[in-house]
Each structure stands twice: as structure tokens, then as C-alpha cells.
């Protein structure tokens, strides 16, 4: 079977495509802005270079000694001075000799002189890229030709492109971040009802099968919640049918089981009255029959208790905050006498001050009786029932010094009818339901269940923590 691909969160699935679209759009916008700003800046500065070349050409006068540039020194300084750019010019004859200005300027091929308008070109001067314009003209007699070359570095162009990009990129970035923040907030707000449903499920006990709330759930998720609710109702109906069947069966079996026990007792009396060889032969069989009937009656009673503890709605309704010491004392006294008759000890250890917790008098007593009975059946000679006041509730410990339970089996203690390895060969009278009933009661009261065994301690310890 092909393994399923792990899917990320819904928020990520919604925002990731939008992020990629925004990044691609931002990249395209940045490239477009760069090209637009570069083209616009070049066009503007190129026109300025052409104007400068044309203005210099207009200052050329023709004399007997040749062409001269009729400009004052101040005008030349203003033309070539710039705090951020290096501007230079040169007046060249038809052989490329410098008649005025700065030598060493880059120049295009003089065979492509332009007489109609200045020619633009790119070059390099002093290791830096420059942009230039050349304008050529002839003397009135058409016997002389000169060219005006004006060049400038590209600093202002690059700075203008950078400023335009920043002016476009920063607002776009800020707007994108704001948009994603609003989208993330909107997605989080839209998913909040689903998180509330998940929290509601996490807070519930495993036995709570009420329908999940659909108030405020988005329309897209409502069919899913409604389907889950229908499944919960089906599971609840199935569990209720099973519980009713077990309860009805156990209730119906109580009468024949009680009759069987009475008949077994009468048969034992009859065998003892007859005496003789028949008593020696039949008494062990009748005793075994009486023990089996007692065990069957106990099993039926435990089944009824398990069904009532699982399905009782009044368990939480009738529970209240109370002192647990009388409950522990009432549950421990009869079992302490039973332990003493067997040569064992059951010690009750609790403080003098009240220990208040949320509990149901009858059901907590049932849980304690089942746990102590389990300790008497399978534990060692010494059993301790301990009560401690904890911040936020009460702590109940049932501890014995018996053989303990295998660590791998601790998680199975609350399973109905589980009695450990080779439970079918035991004759201890247990039913495998005592701890299952106790676990159901403690969890229904909102408590926590912990089991510890060897080698952490000398035997086995069951810990219940009830809320205050």
C-alpha cells in the first residue's frame, strides 16, 4: 500500500501559493521598474548630453586660424563642474586631434560623424563607464570639419534608477507584508472555530459522545463536523445497546444464579446429614459447586456495577466537594477485618486535617472496595491505603508488597476481564472487572490513574489523583 503523503497545515496551504504569486509579481515588477527607470533616466540624461553638445557646437566660430570655441572661462567651469559627476568635453578636428578641451576622451569612429543631430555612444574613461555625445559640423566654406565630444560618468543615472526602484519597491514590500499579515489574520480567524472544536474534543472524556458544536464553523467545514456528529451518535447508540444487553443479561441471570446457590447450599446440608461414605464422596463436589455459584453471582454483580458506572449520568451530577477521609474509612474497615482473618494487614494512613476533593460517595467507595479487594487477592501480606492532600486535589494510594505486575501489562489493568497470564487456571474468585470498574469511576470523576510496579518499589502501587 502506497504511504500517504504528509500534508501541512491548512494555513500554510492557503498562504504558500499566495506567497509565491506575490514573490513572482514582486520580481516581475522590480524588473519592469528597473527597465523603465533605466530607460527613462538614459533618455533624460541623453537629451541633456545632446543639448550640451549642440550648445558647444553653437559657440564655435571660424577664423583664419581655424575653428575657435567662443566661451569664457567661467562658462567652461560651469559646464564641467559637478559635485557627483565628472563631465568633460573636447573639440576635435577631422584627424581626431584635440583643438580644445580635455584629451583622452573616448570617442566613436569619426567616419560616422553626425551632422544632423548628436550621436550617442558608450565608453570608458579612467576605468569608469561613461556616456557621451558627439556633434559634427563643417566650416562655411566646407573645407574644414570639427566634432564636439561631451562625456559624463553614469553616477547620476545609476542613482536615479536606484531611487526609482526604492520608491517603488519599499511601498510594494510594505503593502505586500501588510496584505500577508491581513491574510494570515483572516485565515487564523476563519480557522478559530475549528480550533475551538479541537479543544472541545481534547477536553472531553473518552466516554463523552455528545455532538460537537457547529456554531460559527465555516460552511466548508460544517459537513465534516456534521458527519462526525452522526458517527458519534451511531457509536453512542451502539454502546448503549451493548450496555443494555449486558445489563439485561446480568439482571436476568441474577435470579437463576441465586436459585442455583440456594440449591447448592441445600444439597450440601443434605449430604452432611446423610453422612457415611456418600458424604466423603459428594462433599468436595458440592463444595466446588457452591464456590462456582458464588463466583458466578459475584461476576453478575460486577457486570451490573460496570454497566452502571459506564452509563450512569448521575455520577457527575451527584458528585460534590467533600472530605475523603470518611469515605476511605468506610471502604477500608470491612476489608481490614477480612485481611486480619487471613493473617494479613491493611493499614489506613491519612492526615488529621480534612482532605477535600470532588467525589461521589457511593461510587468512590465502590472503586476503593474493588481496588482493595484486588490487593487482598493478588498482593502481599501488607497493604496500605494512603490519602494525601495535594495542591489542586487529593492523592489516593493503594500499595502492597506482593509480586507486582509485569511492566508491559500495566496498561491492561483497566481492561474488563483481564486477569493476567493464565487467568483461566486461577481459583482466587476474581472476575477481572474490579479494576475496570474503578478506572471507569475515577476517570468519570475527572481523576488521573497511575500504576507502578517492581523494580520501582517493593510490590505494586495504584495512584489516583482527584481534582479539588
Amino acid at each position: 500500500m502506497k504511504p500517504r503523503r504528509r500534508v501541512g497545515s491548512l494555513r500554510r496551504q492557503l498562504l504558500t501559493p499566495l506567497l509565491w504569486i506575490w514573490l513572482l509579481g514582486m520580481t516581475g515588477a522590480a524588473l519592469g521598474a528597473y527597465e523603465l527607470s533605466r530607460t527613462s533616466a538614459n533618455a533624460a540624461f541623453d537629451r541633456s548630453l545632446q543639448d550640451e553638445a549642440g550648445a558647444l557646437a553653437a559657440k564655435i566660430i571660424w577664423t583664419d586660424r581655424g575653428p575657435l570655441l567662443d566661451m569664457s572661462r567661467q562658462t567652461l567651469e560651469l559646464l564641467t563642474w559637478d559635485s557627483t559627476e565628472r563631465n568633460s568635453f573636447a573639440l576635435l578636428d577631422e584627424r581626431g586631434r584635440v583643438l580644445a578641451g580635455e584629451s583622452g576622451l573616448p570617442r566613436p569612429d569619426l567616419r560616422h560623424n553626425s551632422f544632423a543631430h548628436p550621436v550617442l555612444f558608450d565608453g570608458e574613461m579612467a576605468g569608469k563607464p561613461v556616456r557621451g555625445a558627439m556633434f559634427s559640423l563643417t566650416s562655411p566654406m566646407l573645407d574644414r570639419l570639427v566634432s564636439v565630444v561631451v562625456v559624463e560618468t553614469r553616477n547620476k543615472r545609476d542613482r536615479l534608477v536606484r531611487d526609482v526602484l526604492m520608491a517603488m519597491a519599499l511601498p510594494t514590500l510594505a503593502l505586500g507584508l501588510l496584505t500577508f499579515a491581513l491574510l494570515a489574520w483572516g485565515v487564523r480567524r476563519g480557522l478559530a472555530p475549528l480550533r475551538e472544536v479541537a479543544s472541545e474534543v481534547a477536553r472531553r472524556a473518552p466516554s463523552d459522545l455528545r455532538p460537537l458544536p457547529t456554531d460559527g464553523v465555516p460552511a466548508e467545514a460544517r459537513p465534516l463536523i456534521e458527519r462526525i456528529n452522526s458517527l458519534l451518535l451511531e457509536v453512542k447508540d451502539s454502546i448503549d445497546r451493548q450496555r443494555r444487553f449486558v445489563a439485561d443479561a446480568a439482571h436476568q441471570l441474577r435470579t437463576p444464579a441465586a436459585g442455583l446457590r440456594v440449591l447448592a447450599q441445600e444439597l450440601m446440608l443434605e449430604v452432611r446429614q446423610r453422612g457415611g461414605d456418600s458424604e466423603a464422596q459428594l462433599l468436595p463436589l458440592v463444595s466446588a459447586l457452591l464456590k462456582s455459584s458464588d463466583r458466578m453471582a459475584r461476576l453478575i454483580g460486577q457486570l451490573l456495577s460496570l454497566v452502571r458506572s459506564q452509563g450512569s449520568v448521575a455520577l457527575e451530577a451527584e458528585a460534590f466537594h467533600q472530605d475523603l477521609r470518611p469515605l476511605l474509612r468506610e471502604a477500608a474497615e470491612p476489608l481490614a477485618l477480612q485481611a486480619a482473618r487471613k493473617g494479613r494487614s491493611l493499614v489506613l494512613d491519612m492526615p488529621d486535617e480534612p482532605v477535600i476533593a470532588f467525589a461521589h460517595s457511593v461510587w468512590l467507595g465502590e472503586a476503593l472496595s474493588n481496588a482493595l479487594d484486588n490487593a487482598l487477592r493478588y498482593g502481599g501480606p501488607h497493604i496500605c491505603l494512603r490519602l494525601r492532600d495535594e495542591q489542586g486535589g487529593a492523592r489516593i494510594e493503594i500499595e502492597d508488597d506482593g509480586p507486582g505486575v509485569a511492566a508491559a501489562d500495566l496498561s491492561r489493568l483497566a481492561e474488563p476481564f483481564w486477569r493476567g497470564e493464565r487467568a483461566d487456571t486461577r481459583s482466587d474468585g476474581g472476575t477481572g472487572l474490579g479494576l475496570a470498574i474503578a478506572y471507569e469511576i475515577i476517570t468519570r470523576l475527572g481523576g488521573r490513574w497511575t500504576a507502578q510496579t517492581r523494580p520501582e518499589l517493593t510490590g505494586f502501587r495504584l495512584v489516583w489523583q482527584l481534582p479539588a
Side-chain angles (χ1 to χ4, degrees):
M1 184 177 180
K2 185 178 180 180
R4 293 184 177 180
R5 181 174 61 89
R6 185 175 180 181
V7 181
S9 65
L10 180 59
R11 185 189 309 175
R12 180 178 298 178
Q13 294 183 56
L14 291 174
L15 293 180
T16 299
L18 295 176
L19 177 61
W20 280 109
I21 293 174
W22 179 76
L23 288 176
L24 292 175
M26 183 70 177
T27 303
L31 293 175
Y34 171 76
E35 186 63 27
L36 178 62
S37 60
R38 187 180 68 84
T39 304
S40 301
N42 284 335
F45 284 103
D46 286 348
R47 284 195 298 269
S48 177
L49 277 176
Q50 289 174 327
D51 292 342
E52 290 182 13
L56 286 175
K59 295 295 183 178
I60 297 176
I61 59 176
W62 300 93
T63 65
D64 296 338
R65 293 178 299 172
L68 296 176
L69 198 58
D70 185 17
M71 294 181 65
S72 64
R73 182 179 182 86
Q74 290 80 6
T75 304
L76 291 176
E77 290 179 353
L78 289 175
L79 180 65
T80 59
W81 181 86
D82 194 307
S83 60
T84 58
E85 291 283 356
R86 181 180 178 184
N87 291 8
S88 302
F89 77 96
L91 180 61
L92 310 176
D93 62 11
E94 63 271 12
R95 297 182 181 180
R97 293 177 299 182
V98 178
L99 301 178
E102 184 177 347
S103 61
L105 296 184
R107 67 197 72 171
D109 191 351
L110 294 181
R111 289 174 299 177
H112 301 285
N113 298 330
S114 176
F115 298 95
H117 56 81
V119 175
L120 297 168
F121 64 92
D122 293 310
E124 186 173 303
M125 183 175 66
K128 295 182 179 179
V130 294
R131 182 75 165 169
M134 187 183 75
F135 189 40
S136 302
L137 65 160
T138 59
S139 66
M141 301 302 294
L142 302 179
D143 57 344
R144 300 289 300 272
L145 179 137
V146 293
S147 299
V148 177
V149 178
V150 181
V151 298
E152 67 177 5
T153 54
R154 307 181 65 92
N155 296 334
K156 288 190 294 187
R157 300 168 185 257
D158 296 340
R159 186 168 62 252
L160 179 59
V161 172
R162 184 170 60 251
D163 292 342
V164 171
L165 282 178
M166 295 298 292
M168 296 183 64
L170 289 180
T172 304
L173 180 61
L175 181 61
L177 293 177
L178 178 61
T179 302
F180 268 92
L182 292 175
L183 285 173
W185 175 79
V187 172
R188 181 177 179 84
R189 184 172 178 270
L191 295 178
L194 297 181
R195 289 195 298 271
E196 293 177 1
V197 172
S199 300
E200 173 70 17
V201 174
R203 288 193 299 267
R204 289 188 180 186
S207 58
D208 190 351
L209 299 177
R210 292 174 299 164
L212 298 174
T214 57
D215 297 338
V217 175
E220 294 80 3
R222 190 181 297 273
L224 173 63
I225 304 299
E226 292 176 349
R227 181 54 185 159
I228 292 175
N229 287 338
S230 64
L231 288 176
L232 289 175
L233 290 176
E234 293 175 5
V235 171
K236 185 176 184 300
D237 290 342
S238 176
I239 294 175
D240 289 341
R241 287 194 297 269
Q242 293 178 4
R243 288 173 178 171
R244 285 196 299 270
F245 172 77
V246 174
D248 293 343
H251 182 74
Q252 294 298 326
L253 288 173
R254 292 182 70 177
T255 300
L260 180 61
R261 188 174 186 280
V262 171
L263 292 176
Q265 291 175 342
E266 292 294 331
L267 182 59
M268 179 171 285
L269 291 175
E270 183 70 21
V271 170
R272 287 179 175 174
Q273 289 176 0
R274 289 186 179 185
D277 294 338
S278 60
E279 179 181 1
Q281 294 175 357
L282 298 177
L283 190 59
L285 298 177
V286 176
S287 297
L289 178 62
L290 185 59
K291 289 181 180 180
S292 296
S293 64
D294 289 339
R295 185 172 181 273
M296 183 170 61
R298 176 177 172 78
L299 175 60
I300 293 172
Q302 291 282 55
L303 279 173
L304 286 173
S305 296
L306 178 62
V307 173
R308 286 197 297 267
S309 66
Q310 291 177 339
S312 177
V313 179
L315 191 151
E316 295 92 342
E318 297 177 2
F320 59 94
H321 293 86
Q322 56 183 305
D323 185 7
L324 298 187
R325 295 180 302 166
L327 301 181
L328 267 69
R329 190 178 294 110
E330 182 179 355
E333 284 178 353
L335 291 169
L337 296 175
Q338 182 179 343
R341 286 195 294 267
K342 295 181 179 180
R344 302 164 69 184
S345 65
L346 172 57
V347 178
L348 181 58
D349 180 12
M350 56 185 180
D352 297 331
E353 297 80 12
V355 180
I356 306 299
F358 184 75
H360 188 286
S361 303
V362 176
W363 286 107
L364 183 59
E366 178 78 11
L368 287 168
S369 298
N370 287 341
L372 292 174
D373 180 75
N374 187 79
L376 284 175
R377 291 179 185 276
Y378 309 113
H382 304 289
I383 303 169
C384 180
L385 174 60
R386 189 177 296 111
L387 175 64
R388 291 291 182 266
D389 188 5
E390 283 191 344
Q391 185 177 4
R395 179 185 178 94
I396 301 175
E397 297 181 2
I398 300 103
E399 183 176 350
D400 64 70
D401 56 353
V405 180
D409 294 333
L410 289 178
S411 60
R412 305 190 61 189
L413 290 175
E415 293 182 12
F417 301 107
W418 185 83
R419 298 174 58 202
E421 296 294 332
R422 296 307 306 272
D424 56 330
T425 63
R426 297 180 181 175
S427 58
D428 47 40
T431 62
L433 292 175
L435 291 185
I437 296 172
Y439 177 81
E440 188 69 29
I441 293 171
I442 296 302
T443 53
R444 290 289 295 273
L445 290 173
R448 289 184 296 173
W449 169 294
T450 307
Q452 298 171 302
T453 188
R454 297 174 183 270
E456 297 180 36
L457 58 158
T458 56
F460 176 75
R461 178 189 296 159
L462 198 58
V463 180
W464 300 339
Q465 292 174 292
L466 295 176

